Amino acid sequence: MIEPIASGRKCPICEKPAAEKFRPFCSKRCADIDLHRWLSGSYAIPVAETDDAPEAAEADREPED
């Protein structure tokens, strides 16, 4: 059996006590679930697209004569 960490931290996946061997997770299963979420793109920082990029590119151009 895996011993929980004495600090009382919880596994971020299932909220059971974390195990020292799989820190910060409680088991290899929860560590694998987290890895799959990272590799599949489930964890992502949302980005707000703006339309400023085309206007900025035009402002950088030199005026044509």
Side-chain angles (χ1 to χ4, degrees), residues 2-33:
I2 304 296
E3 295 295 320
I5 295 175
S7 70
R9 297 196 71 179
K10 293 183 178 180
C11 174
I13 303 299
C14 69
E15 298 187 2
K16 292 181 183 176
E20 182 66 33
K21 184 175 179 181
F22 302 105
R23 188 179 44 185
F25 307 102
C26 67
S27 65
K28 181 168 176 12
R29 177 184 174 272
C30 285
D32 288 344
I33 289 170

Side-chain angles (χ1 to χ4, degrees), residues 17-65:
E20 182 66 33
K21 184 175 179 181
F22 302 105
R23 188 179 44 185
F25 307 102
C26 67
S27 65
K28 181 168 176 12
R29 177 184 174 272
C30 285
D32 288 344
I33 289 170
D34 185 70
L35 178 62
H36 178 265
R37 289 178 181 173
W38 277 106
L39 295 176
S40 67
S42 294
Y43 295 143
I45 299 172
V47 177
E49 296 291 329
T50 60
D51 293 334
D52 294 341
E55 294 169 3
E58 295 224 6
D60 290 340
R61 291 185 191 166
E62 293 182 21
E64 296 178 17
D65 292 320

